[in-house]
Amino acid sequence: MLTSSPNTIFDQTSIFALNTTNSLIGLAIYVLAVVALWRIFTKAGYPGWLAIIPIVNAIFLVKIAGFSGWMSLLYLIPIVNIVFHIIVAIRVGRAFGHGGFFSFFLLVVFWVIGYLIVGFSDDKYRPERI
């Protein structure tokens, strides 16, 4: 008989352990992202605590990229959000003095590492570079 629920206590325990592990990994990535964005926001002249709030940090990251905060609504449109995220990442990298290659690979693909590098480096935020 085929069922969709786990059959034994061992199956249930392994599912719980997997969920716990994934939750801890996700929490660690979120904490690293908050630390990196906190530093980026303070470099750009915004309060660092804004990095803790999930939707608000996206709005202020769009502002750091030189767009209006209302442009962050583009993250709600499928496919447009991917293109807009790449544009925002490249503009944020450019505002901190990095090129397009760095911005694409380290602020889009490996975003936690890239934002940590931008946050903890000696780069200065200059909006006229955008």
Side-chain angles (χ1 to χ4, degrees):
M1 173 183 347
L2 295 174
T3 61
S4 62
S5 62
N7 295 346
T8 65
I9 189 71
F10 299 113
D11 293 340
Q12 293 173 1
T13 305
S14 64
I15 290 172
F16 175 75
L18 182 62
N19 287 338
T20 304
T21 304
N22 287 340
S23 297
L24 290 176
I25 291 171
L27 181 67
I29 290 172
Y30 176 72
V31 168
L32 283 174
V34 166
V35 168
L37 288 176
W38 189 300
R39 295 284 304 212
I40 290 173
F41 287 177
T42 55
K43 281 183 174 184
Y46 293 106
W49 60 268
L50 293 172
I52 298 171
I53 308 167
I55 296 171
V56 174
N57 64 16
I59 293 170
F60 280 92
L61 197 61
V62 168
K63 283 185 169 187
I64 290 172
F67 294 116
S68 169
W70 288 101
M71 293 285 287
S72 61
L73 290 174
L74 291 175
Y75 280 121
L76 299 174
I77 304 171
I79 302 188
V80 173
N81 58 5
I82 297 169
V83 174
F84 185 64
H85 178 68
I86 293 170
I87 293 169
V88 166
I90 289 172
R91 288 176 64 114
V92 167
R94 196 180 306 156
F96 283 97
H98 297 285
F101 184 78
F102 173 90
S103 298
F104 180 76
F105 283 105
L106 285 179
L107 296 181
V108 175
V109 179
F110 302 109
W111 57 275
V112 174
I113 297 169
Y115 284 129
L116 283 170
I117 290 171
V118 171
F120 285 97
S121 65
D122 292 332
D123 302 332
K124 303 289 185 217
Y125 173 72
R126 294 191 7 214
E128 63 269 4
R129 291 182 188 159
I130 302 173

